[in-house]
CSV table of all heavy atoms in Angstrom, one decimal:
chain,number,residue,atom,x,y,z
A,37,ILE,N,109.4,86.0,116.9
A,37,ILE,CA,109.2,87.1,117.8
A,37,ILE,C,110.1,87.0,119.0
A,37,ILE,O,110.6,88.0,119.5
A,37,ILE,CB,107.7,87.2,118.2
A,37,ILE,CG1,107.4,88.5,119.0
A,37,ILE,CG2,107.2,86.0,118.9
A,37,ILE,CD1,107.3,89.7,118.2
A,38,ARG,N,110.3,85.8,119.5
A,38,ARG,CA,111.2,85.6,120.6
A,38,ARG,C,112.2,84.5,120.3
A,38,ARG,O,111.9,83.7,119.4
A,38,ARG,CB,110.4,85.2,121.9
A,38,ARG,CG,109.5,86.3,122.4
A,38,ARG,CD,108.7,85.9,123.6
A,38,ARG,NE,107.7,84.9,123.2
A,38,ARG,CZ,106.5,85.2,122.6
A,38,ARG,NH1,106.1,86.4,122.4
A,38,ARG,NH2,105.7,84.2,122.3
A,157,TYR,N,112.8,96.3,121.7
A,157,TYR,CA,113.0,94.8,121.8
A,157,TYR,C,112.5,94.0,120.6
A,157,TYR,O,112.7,92.8,120.5
A,157,TYR,CB,112.3,94.3,123.1
A,157,TYR,CG,110.9,94.7,123.1
A,157,TYR,CD1,109.9,94.0,122.4
A,157,TYR,CD2,110.5,95.8,123.8
A,157,TYR,CE1,108.6,94.3,122.4
A,157,TYR,CE2,109.1,96.2,123.8
A,157,TYR,CZ,108.2,95.5,123.1
A,157,TYR,OH,106.9,95.9,123.1
A,158,CYS,N,111.8,94.7,119.7
A,158,CYS,CA,110.9,94.0,118.8
A,158,CYS,C,111.4,93.8,117.4
A,158,CYS,O,111.9,94.8,116.7
A,158,CYS,CB,109.6,94.7,118.8
A,158,CYS,SG,108.3,93.7,117.8
A,262,PRO,N,98.6,95.1,125.2
A,262,PRO,CA,99.9,94.8,125.8
A,262,PRO,C,100.5,96.1,126.5
A,262,PRO,O,100.6,97.1,125.9
A,262,PRO,CB,100.7,94.4,124.6
A,262,PRO,CG,99.7,94.0,123.6
A,262,PRO,CD,98.5,94.9,123.8
A,264,GLN,N,103.5,95.6,128.5
A,264,GLN,CA,105.0,95.2,128.5
A,264,GLN,C,105.7,95.4,129.8
A,264,GLN,O,106.5,94.5,130.2
A,264,GLN,CB,105.8,95.9,127.4
A,264,GLN,CG,105.1,95.8,126.0
A,264,GLN,CD,104.9,94.4,125.4
A,264,GLN,OE1,105.3,93.5,126.0
A,264,GLN,NE2,104.3,94.4,124.3
A,302,ASP,N,100.3,91.7,127.5
A,302,ASP,CA,101.6,91.1,127.4
A,302,ASP,C,102.6,91.7,128.3
A,302,ASP,O,102.6,93.0,128.4
A,302,ASP,CB,102.1,91.2,125.9
A,302,ASP,CG,101.4,90.4,124.9
A,302,ASP,OD1,100.6,89.5,125.3
A,302,ASP,OD2,101.6,90.7,123.7
A,303,ILE,N,103.4,90.9,128.9
A,303,ILE,CA,104.5,91.5,129.8
A,303,ILE,C,105.8,90.9,129.4
A,303,ILE,O,105.9,89.7,129.1
A,303,ILE,CB,104.2,91.1,131.3
A,303,ILE,CG1,102.9,91.7,131.8
A,303,ILE,CG2,105.4,91.3,132.2
A,303,ILE,CD1,103.0,93.2,132.2
A,304,ILE,N,106.8,91.7,129.4
A,304,ILE,CA,108.2,91.2,129.2
A,304,ILE,C,108.9,91.4,130.6
A,304,ILE,O,108.9,92.5,131.1
A,304,ILE,CB,109.0,92.0,128.1
A,304,ILE,CG1,108.3,91.8,126.8
A,304,ILE,CG2,110.4,91.5,128.1
A,304,ILE,CD1,108.9,92.6,125.6
A,333,PHE,N,106.6,86.9,129.2
A,333,PHE,CA,107.8,86.3,128.5
A,333,PHE,C,109.1,86.9,129.2
A,333,PHE,O,109.1,88.0,129.6
A,333,PHE,CB,107.8,86.8,127.0
A,333,PHE,CG,106.5,86.6,126.4
A,333,PHE,CD1,105.6,87.7,126.1
A,333,PHE,CD2,106.0,85.3,126.0
A,333,PHE,CE1,104.4,87.5,125.5
A,333,PHE,CE2,104.8,85.2,125.3
A,333,PHE,CZ,104.0,86.3,125.1
A,334,LYS,N,110.1,86.0,129.1
A,334,LYS,CA,111.4,86.5,129.5
A,334,LYS,C,112.0,87.3,128.3
A,334,LYS,O,111.9,86.8,127.2
A,334,LYS,CB,112.4,85.4,129.8
A,334,LYS,CG,112.1,84.7,131.1
A,334,LYS,CD,113.2,83.7,131.4
A,334,LYS,CE,112.9,82.3,130.8
A,334,LYS,NZ,113.9,81.3,131.1
A,335,TYR,N,112.6,88.4,128.5
A,335,TYR,CA,113.2,89.2,127.4
A,335,TYR,C,114.2,88.3,126.7
A,335,TYR,O,115.0,87.6,127.3
A,335,TYR,CB,113.9,90.4,128.0
A,335,TYR,CG,114.8,91.1,126.9
A,335,TYR,CD1,114.2,91.9,125.9
A,335,TYR,CD2,116.1,90.8,126.9
A,335,TYR,CE1,115.1,92.4,124.9
A,335,TYR,CE2,117.0,91.3,125.9
A,335,TYR,CZ,116.4,92.1,124.9
A,335,TYR,OH,117.2,92.6,123.9
A,336,SER,N,114.2,88.3,125.4
A,336,SER,CA,115.3,87.6,124.6
A,336,SER,C,115.8,88.6,123.6
A,336,SER,O,115.0,89.3,123.0
A,336,SER,CB,114.8,86.3,124.0
A,336,SER,OG,113.7,86.5,123.2
A,338,ARG,N,116.8,89.9,120.1
A,338,ARG,CA,116.4,89.7,118.7
A,338,ARG,C,117.4,90.4,117.7
A,338,ARG,O,117.7,91.6,118.0
A,338,ARG,CB,115.0,90.1,118.4
A,338,ARG,CG,113.9,89.5,119.4
A,338,ARG,CD,114.0,88.0,119.6
A,338,ARG,NE,113.8,87.2,118.4
A,338,ARG,CZ,114.7,86.2,118.0
A,338,ARG,NH1,115.8,85.9,118.7
A,338,ARG,NH2,114.4,85.5,116.9
B,501,5AD,N1,111.7,89.3,124.2
B,501,5AD,C1,110.6,88.8,124.9
B,501,5AD,N2,109.3,89.1,124.5
B,501,5AD,C2,109.1,89.7,123.4
B,501,5AD,N3,108.0,90.1,122.8
B,501,5AD,C3,108.3,90.8,121.6
B,501,5AD,N4,109.6,90.8,121.5
B,501,5AD,C4,110.1,90.2,122.6
B,501,5AD,C5,111.5,89.9,123.0
B,501,5AD,N5,112.5,90.4,122.3
B,501,5AD,C6,106.6,89.8,123.4
B,501,5AD,C7,105.9,91.1,123.6
B,501,5AD,C8,104.8,91.2,122.6
B,501,5AD,C9,104.6,89.7,122.4
B,501,5AD,C10,103.9,89.4,121.1
B,501,5AD,O1,105.9,89.1,122.4
B,501,5AD,O2,105.3,91.1,124.9
B,501,5AD,O3,103.7,91.9,122.9
Side-chain angles (χ1 to χ4, degrees):
I37 190 75
R38 293 175 294 275
Y157 53 81
C158 186
Q264 311 299 358
D302 288 347
I303 294 282
I304 298 176
F333 314 101
K334 287 189 276 185
Y335 167 81
S336 56
R338 306 311 297 130

